[in-house]
Amino acid sequence: MMIRYTPIFLLLLLSSVVSSRLINEDGLIKLPSYDDNSILKIGFPNSDDDDIVGTKWAVLIAGSDGYWNYRHQADICHAYQLLKKGGLKDENIVVFMYDDIAYNEENPRQGVIINSPFGSDVYAGVPKDYTGKAVNVKNFFAALLGDKAALTGGSGKVVDSGPNDHIFVYYSDHGGAGVIGMPTNPYLYADDLIDTLKKKHALGAYKSLVFYLESCESGSMFEGILPDGLNIYATTASNAYESSWGTYCPGEDEIPPEYDTCLGDLYSVAWMEDSEKRNLREETLKQQYELVKKRTGSNAFYGSNVMQYGDVELNKDVLYTYMGTNPVNDNITRVDENSLRPTSTVAVNQRDADLVHFWSKLRKAPEGSTRKAEAQKKFLEAMSHRAHVDNSVELIGKLLFGIGKGSEMLKTVRPAGQPLVDNWKCLKSLVRTFEAHCGSLSQYGMKHMRSFANICNAGITTEQMAEASGQACPSIPSNPWSSLHKGFTA
């Protein structure tokens, strides 16, 4: 005899069979034969996914300006398009970008930004909430904390999240040990970032937060200072002491010849191109981390070690929780890893991308032309600034520690798991002291932040630093690329 069950009876039967240990905290039922990444959603008519997993929020920030830094704003715009296709609403996506690229006179496609050689326009429709001078540390922290009263300029949009919500933060820029850049000053220090994340956690204003960071030495922003228990998972383009890399740069065969700048960053392109080809309801943070790590560090001549920090167990979460997913990919079950690797064999150290830009312009400009003279001038100014900063820091090290030990002291790298510096106030003070005598470090000079941290860790006082800096830099170069026009980084 066939037994018929009514819908109500089936629901009651299901309730009695499924124990509490099979229901996770998001209200999703996991069957015994399923692994952590395979879940069965019990849906009801007119139910909304956000009612199950909380509201998805995102903060996207490009921390640079200047056409030679094209790739950072291209990264951020690409991320916006990805999240938008994933179902996030504009009201829940906060975008910081200087916005001097799309209509820059050097841009060969006015009003268009691309993030790969054959990519589509990623600039269209981007909600530019904070542009120009409104892209600053204070506004970034205020937006993340949901503190509208602390904002200055911009759209006023903030992450007004609640305890069941999920936040995705993506930051793309230059960096140094313990610091990441801004197009305005001051730059963003690691201790201030961690303090802000702790405040957000104390507010009870999220369930989990994921942070993707693209910059040189980006691991130093979390290494030894991001505590467990904040429900924060972070991945970085590099470890605490190595550079990250630009990609799709001039000189590659597939790059349109009219572009004189890198179109993207290797780590950033890796996670976004992966996300575009996957069903993010199934792929986990861990799976993406492993794939991006392999792609970003797969070449013997360039690449960096992608890292993860914080509450690493969160990497079991599916990417959909933070990024949504493009419905076009709903039937995708597996993507061949080889299809996600870069076809090019060229990448550029982030700190040299400006030189690649100037050199490309210099190489293509007609002999004897004004364009060639201007390109040569900018290239030489950039090189002069680099030499000034490098020589000044090296001399300061010798003055403080002696000719024999100076270089070794400045280059020391602490063991993994230790923070960059014991006293962050000391680090900021020494940077200000150096810049008062020698001029701004600028984006390139951030490579020396570890040297300043080591000077602090060695017990050097501000007074000793001032004396050494004064001897190393009797005058500040007037080169506009270098010193006097952007103020202190701290």
Side-chain angles (χ1 to χ4, degrees):
M1 180 178 68
M2 181 179 295
I3 300 175
R4 293 186 177 183
Y5 296 101
T6 66
I8 296 297
F9 180 78
L10 285 172
L11 287 174
L12 291 173
L13 180 63
L14 183 62
S15 299
S16 64
V17 171
V18 178
S19 66
S20 60
R21 65 185 176 87
L22 297 179
I23 302 177
N24 71 12
E25 58 186 2
D26 286 327
L28 306 179
I29 296 176
K30 298 197 306 181
L31 301 184
S33 60
Y34 282 46
D35 61 23
D36 286 339
N37 304 323
S38 302
I39 54 179
L40 174 65
K41 282 190 177 183
I42 305 300
F44 296 92
N46 302 318
S47 68
D48 188 336
D49 284 330
D50 279 350
D51 292 334
I52 298 174
V53 299
T55 300
K56 301 174 180 67
W57 294 85
V59 181
L60 311 175
I61 180 165
S64 69
D65 61 348
Y67 188 75
W68 52 88
N69 288 321
Y70 181 107
R71 63 198 180 281
H72 299 137
Q73 294 184 53
D75 291 340
I76 292 305
C77 290
H78 189 177
Y80 165 78
Q81 303 296 345
L82 179 71
L83 297 177
K84 186 69 174 178
K85 290 179 182 178
L88 273 71
K89 303 172 183 177
D90 279 354
E91 64 194 64
N92 300 126
I93 305 174
V94 186
V95 178
F96 288 78
M97 57 182 293
Y98 203 80
D99 198 25
D100 61 342
I101 301 302
Y103 292 98
N104 191 291
E105 61 181 11
E106 296 189 59
N107 188 9
R109 298 174 63 185
Q110 289 289 291
V112 172
I113 295 177
I114 59 175
N115 198 214
S116 66
F118 308 107
S120 59
D121 178 23
V122 294
Y123 183 70
V126 175
K128 297 173 286 293
D129 296 298
Y130 300 90
T131 61
K133 293 182 179 179
V135 184
N136 57 60
V137 173
K138 181 181 177 182
N139 280 346
F140 170 53
F141 288 166
L144 184 57
L145 292 172
D147 186 0
K148 291 187 176 183
L151 293 169
T152 54
S155 68
K157 191 191 299 181
V158 298
V159 179
D160 190 16
S161 53
N164 295 317
D165 295 348
H166 304 275
I167 303 173
F168 175 64
V169 181
Y170 169 48
Y171 200 116
S172 179
D173 189 35
H174 291 279
V179 69
I180 47 181
M182 279 282 179
T184 53
N185 295 96
Y187 289 170
L188 197 164
Y189 280 89
D191 64 323
D192 295 324
L193 174 62
I194 300 303
D195 285 346
T196 299
L197 294 175
K198 289 178 179 178
K199 290 177 183 177
K200 187 70 174 179
H201 180 262
L203 292 171
Y206 65 87
K207 185 174 184 180
S208 56
L209 185 151
V210 167
F211 202 122
Y212 279 26
L213 176 57
E214 170 78 65
S215 78
C216 293
E217 299 178 271
S218 45
S220 64
M221 296 297 291
F222 302 107
E223 182 87 46
I225 58 173
L226 176 62
D228 296 336
L230 297 182
N231 291 328
I232 293 175
Y233 171 75
T235 78
T236 60
S238 65
N239 60 29
Y241 53 85
E242 65 186 352
S243 300
S244 63
W245 294 77
T247 192
Y248 300 139
C249 298
E252 297 183 33
D253 292 339
E254 60 184 1
I255 303 302
E258 62 269 24
Y259 283 93
D260 295 314
T261 186
C262 298
L263 304 179
D265 290 293
L266 190 56
Y267 162 84
S268 296
V269 163
W271 77 258
M272 284 188 279
E273 291 185 357
D274 170 56
S275 297
E276 286 180 325
K277 295 182 179 182
R278 299 260 188 164
N279 178 355
L280 302 189
R281 294 182 187 274
E282 296 185 355
E283 184 176 8
T284 65
L285 288 160
K286 181 179 181 180
Q287 289 171 330
Q288 183 166 88
Y289 162 75
E290 294 291 348
L291 189 148
V292 171
K293 182 177 182 179
K294 188 173 183 179
R295 175 172 173 178
T296 305
S298 62
N299 193 291
F301 302 102
Y302 65 82
S304 56
N305 291 284
V306 176
M307 304 295 288
Q308 55 184 351
Y309 300 96
D311 295 302
V312 177
E313 65 274 11
L314 285 176
N315 67 14
K316 295 180 181 179
D317 289 354
V318 290
L319 289 161
Y320 170 79
T321 306
Y322 306 93
M323 303 179 189
T325 192
N326 190 338
V328 173
N329 298 336
D330 281 352
N331 294 324
I332 295 176
T333 56
R334 186 175 183 273
V335 175
D336 182 3
E337 288 189 11
N338 291 328
S339 70
L340 298 173
R341 297 192 183 185
T343 56
S344 67
T345 57
V346 179
V348 173
N349 187 307
Q350 275 251 42
R351 294 192 174 109
D352 294 333
D354 58 336
L355 297 184
V356 171
H357 168 67
F358 295 137
W359 179 253
S360 179
K361 290 173 66 65
L362 177 62
R363 179 176 55 85
K364 293 193 296 186
E367 288 294 335
S369 66
T370 302
R371 277 192 297 152
K372 198 171 192 72
E374 182 64 22
Q376 184 177 34
K377 177 184 176 184
K378 289 187 176 181
F379 182 83
L380 292 176
E381 284 178 347
M383 292 299 295
S384 175
H385 169 57
R386 287 169 175 241
H388 166 69
V389 173
D390 291 344
N391 293 337
S392 299
V393 174
E394 182 180 0
L395 180 53
I396 288 170
K398 292 177 180 179
L399 291 170
L400 291 173
F401 304 112
I403 295 177
K405 294 184 178 180
S407 180
E408 179 184 350
M409 288 292 294
L410 297 184
K411 294 178 181 178
T412 297
V413 177
R414 284 182 154 184
Q418 289 191 24
L420 170 73
V421 67
D422 297 323
N423 187 330
W424 289 91
K425 289 183 179 179
C426 171
L427 175 59
K428 296 171 187 177
S429 175
L430 293 198
V431 171
R432 283 194 297 268
T433 301
F434 171 86
E435 291 191 319
H437 291 86
C438 299
S440 174
L441 286 171
S442 78
Q443 293 171 347
Y444 171 77
M446 283 192 281
K447 67 177 286 186
H448 293 293
M449 290 298 294
R450 185 175 304 279
S451 296
F452 296 116
N454 289 340
I455 293 172
C456 279
N457 294 334
I460 299 299
T461 65
T462 302
E463 291 73 22
Q464 290 173 305
M465 183 66 174
E467 183 178 353
S469 298
Q471 292 181 48
C473 304
S475 63
I476 299 177
S478 59
N479 182 343
W481 177 261
S482 62
S483 303
L484 298 173
H485 302 281
K486 282 199 172 182
F488 297 152
T489 57

